Amino acid sequence: MTNRAPILLNGLTRTTVGLTALTRPVRIIRATGVDRVTAEKIAWLARLAGIRDLALGAGLLHAQLTGAPTRGWLFTGLLADAADAAVFTHATTRRQLPPAAGTAMAAAAAGGVALAATTLTRHHPTNTRTGTAAPAA
C-alpha cells in the first residue's frame, strides 16, 4: 500500500460503517440478537454511533484529500474503536449479547484499532527525542 492507501481505507471503511448505521439501524441491531420491536425502539442508538463514525471517516478523508493533518483523526478513531471493543467484550461476557455476534463486533472494532495503530506507526512516526509527531513521509 502507498502512504495514502491505508489512510483512505480507514476513512472509507469508517464512513461506510457510519452510513450503514444511519440508514439501516434496525438491521444492525437485529444482527446482535435483539428482537425487531426492541430494535425499532432503540434504532436511535445505532444512529448515534453511525453519526460518530461518519464524522470521523469524513473528517479523515477530507484531511487526507486536502493535505491537512490526519494524525488527530486517526488517533480519535482509534480511541472510539477501542471503546467499542471494550463495550462489546463487556456486553458479551455478561451475556448481554450472543457470543457469536458480540465476539464478531468486538473483533471488528479491534480491527479498526489495529488499522489505525498500524497507520499511525508507519505513516505518522513519533519523534522519540521530542515526543512530537514527525512529518509524514
Side-chain angles (χ1 to χ4, degrees):
M1 279 197 223
T2 67
N3 282 346
R4 290 182 62 152
I7 295 171
L8 292 174
L9 175 63
N10 190 300
L12 289 171
T13 300
R14 187 171 294 284
T15 301
T16 300
V17 168
L19 284 172
T20 302
L22 281 171
T23 60
R24 307 235 189 300
V26 172
R27 182 178 288 174
I28 288 174
I29 294 169
R30 295 270 296 141
T32 67
V34 173
D35 65 271
R36 177 168 301 285
V37 173
T38 303
E40 289 172 356
K41 287 181 181 177
I42 63 170
W44 60 273
L45 287 170
R47 288 188 181 107
L48 282 174
I51 291 166
R52 178 198 71 187
D53 280 326
L54 180 58
L56 289 169
L60 178 59
L61 290 172
H62 181 265
Q64 178 64 38
L65 296 174
T66 62
T70 57
R71 183 178 181 79
W73 290 104
L74 287 164
F75 186 70
T76 303
L78 182 149
L79 292 176
D81 287 338
D84 289 349
V87 168
F88 290 134
T89 299
H90 179 45
T92 303
T93 59
R94 295 191 59 158
R95 294 186 170 91
Q96 295 169 330
L97 285 173
T103 300
M105 294 169 77
V113 171
L115 176 60
T118 300
T119 304
L120 283 165
T121 303
R122 290 186 181 164
H123 304 292
H124 294 291
T126 300
N127 183 326
T128 55
R129 190 169 54 94
T130 64
T132 59

